[in-house]
Amino acid sequence: MKQVAVILSGSGVYDGAELQEAVLSLLAIESEGASYQCFAPDVDQLHVINHLTGEVAEGETRNVLVESARITRGDIKPLSECDVSLFDTLILPGGFGVAKNLCTFAVDGAECSFNEDVLTVCQAFAKAKKPAAYACIAPALAAKVYGNGVKLTIGNDEATAQGLNALGATHIDCEVDDVVVDNEMKLVTSPAYMLAENVSQAYRSITKMVKNSTFNEIDYIVSV
């Protein structure tokens, strides 16, 4: 049975992990007959967003690991405890928490900084040539981790794509039902809710991303 490490970034699309992407990723992993362990960095979020109003909740702080535990029913470990040698694949669901808590891409664009534990784990998977899959805005991390013109996608948003290219990636425009696979880097990326308009579209996007992380030799754009 394949073992998959999943990195979460909090709980809630605007300040943490995108919950539907996270849950759909876990479902897809199990559907492929694999097992997973979730991780998150033990750090404070950049800020807390009121998901009803979309406004910053002034004076409120939350911890990324604690909030991520909401998604996993408490079954989660600090990212510092992730032993890459125990896992076959890495998966990162999206959500603005990736670009706010795991790195600062949402604030600083191509000049962003990266959480040290996140970068260490992601780079370890890349160095070991183990498959990885990044959804939604998470390819901002992949651009830094892989560089060297790695092929990836966040969909078709031009400004975001330019930011990823500035980090060393080669962005490929992609429809919501497609994924981009860089066979050389063993990297799969999917637009998910960067383009998805409902949970059904997100389901198809995430499921295809997880399925293609088995890395048969295929073209880097996989059509429906």
Side-chain angles (χ1 to χ4, degrees):
M1 178 182 290
K2 286 189 175 182
Q3 304 296 319
V4 182
V6 180
I7 299 178
L8 299 178
S9 58
S11 178
V13 58
Y14 299 127
D15 58 10
E18 212 297 321
L19 277 86
Q20 293 178 357
E21 290 182 7
V23 173
L24 290 172
S25 294
L26 301 183
L27 175 61
I29 291 167
E30 287 193 350
S31 297
E32 290 300 306
S35 179
Y36 61 81
Q37 175 62 57
C38 293
F39 298 91
D42 187 4
V43 296
D44 286 341
Q45 296 180 183
L46 172 66
H47 56 205
V48 177
I49 298 293
N50 180 324
H51 280 61
L52 185 62
T53 66
E55 297 176 352
V56 174
E58 298 293 346
E60 186 173 348
T61 61
R62 296 189 184 183
N63 177 277
V64 175
L65 176 60
V66 172
E67 292 302 299
S68 298
R70 292 176 178 271
I71 300 173
T72 64
R73 298 170 63 89
D75 183 11
I76 194 167
K77 296 180 179 180
L79 186 57
S80 58
E81 296 181 11
C82 181
D83 182 348
V84 175
S85 69
L86 299 179
F87 296 95
D88 302 292
T89 304
L90 173 68
I91 291 180
L92 280 86
F96 280 108
V98 174
K100 292 178 177 180
N101 305 327
L102 306 189
C103 70
T104 63
F105 184 79
V107 178
D108 301 319
E111 303 301 318
C112 62
S113 59
F114 295 81
N115 175 277
E116 185 175 341
D117 286 338
V118 173
L119 200 56
T120 296
V121 170
C122 292
Q123 287 178 333
F125 273 92
K127 184 176 181 180
K129 301 295 184 181
K130 294 187 175 185
Y134 293 64
C136 193
I137 194 60
L141 280 170
K144 171 67 174 179
V145 169
Y146 294 88
N148 299 318
V150 60
K151 300 179 184 71
L152 49 70
T153 193
I154 48 80
N156 55 27
D157 183 79
E158 184 176 352
T160 306
Q162 289 176 352
L164 301 191
N165 290 340
L167 286 169
T170 298
H171 183 268
I172 308 294
D173 281 353
C174 180
E175 298 299 321
V176 66
D177 286 334
D178 288 341
V179 296
V180 168
V181 181
D182 189 313
N183 281 308
E184 181 180 355
M185 300 294 186
K186 294 190 174 182
L187 175 70
V188 181
T189 52
S190 169
Y193 266 114
M194 289 293 289
L195 290 179
E197 296 180 352
N198 53 56
V199 69
S200 297
Q201 288 184 340
Y203 169 76
R204 292 194 294 273
S205 182
I206 292 290
T207 300
K208 181 175 284 188
M209 180 191 75
V210 173
K211 187 179 292 291
N212 278 282
S213 64
T214 56
F215 290 99
N216 296 319
E217 289 299 319
I218 50 182
D219 293 336
Y220 64 77
I221 295 183
V222 182
S223 298
V224 177

